């Protein structure tokens, strides 16, 4: 069992956007150990994950309306591309 200091360090690094592999390498522990600790902390409500802004954020309301009209992801992608969306079709398809 790792000490509270190690848990706190892992939590802090994770919140600073380091991934599990990077944290494991920095602390000289196995990546699975980092994953286990983060899972335990998350289940206890200790780890806060920050929301990332999506390239789709400005278009989400429009996309949802178009989906309700049963338009295809391809058509929605074409429409929002004409309105300034510069992301990929795959991004739109995954959201739809």
């Amino acid at each position: 069992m790792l000490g509270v200091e190690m848990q706190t360090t892992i939590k802090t690094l994770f919140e600073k956007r380091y991934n599990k592999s990077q944290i494991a390498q920095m602390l000289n522990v196995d990546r699975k150990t980092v994953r286990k600790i983060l899972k335990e902390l998350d289940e206890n409500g200790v780890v806060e994950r920050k929301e990332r802004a999506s390239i789709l954020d400005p278009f989400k309301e429009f996309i949802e309306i178009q989906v309700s009209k049963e338009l295809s992801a391809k058509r929605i992608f074409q429409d929002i591309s004409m309105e300034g969306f510069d992301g990929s079709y795959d991004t739109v398809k995954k959201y739809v």
Side-chain angles (χ1 to χ4, degrees):
M1 173 127 171
L2 296 174
V4 175
E5 290 178 14
M6 180 66 81
Q7 291 175 350
T8 304
T9 303
I10 290 172
K11 175 184 176 238
T12 302
L13 290 171
F14 187 72
E15 288 174 346
K16 289 186 177 193
R17 311 296 246 174
Y18 289 98
N19 66 40
K20 294 173 188 118
S21 296
Q22 292 170 321
I23 295 169
Q25 188 175 25
M26 285 189 276
L27 301 177
N28 199 25
V29 297
D30 192 272
R31 182 183 49 81
K32 292 176 187 174
T33 303
V34 174
R35 181 180 64 201
K36 178 183 171 192
I37 289 172
L38 288 171
K39 182 180 177 190
E40 289 172 0
L41 291 172
D42 190 38
E43 287 172 354
N44 294 329
V46 178
V47 176
E48 295 179 21
R49 297 176 188 266
K50 295 181 181 173
E51 293 290 322
R52 292 183 183 180
S54 168
I55 192 168
L56 285 174
D57 282 348
F59 304 96
K60 284 185 176 178
E61 184 177 344
F62 176 79
I63 292 170
E64 290 168 13
I65 292 169
Q66 301 306 75
V67 167
S68 72
K69 294 178 184 178
E70 299 184 9
L71 291 179
S72 69
K74 186 73 165 176
R75 171 64 191 274
I76 295 169
F77 170 71
Q78 291 169 344
D79 291 346
I80 64 174
S81 292
M82 292 173 56
E83 298 298 322
F85 177 70
D86 60 355
S88 70
Y89 165 67
D90 197 49
T91 301
V92 175
K93 184 172 76 173
K94 286 178 184 175
Y95 182 71
V96 169

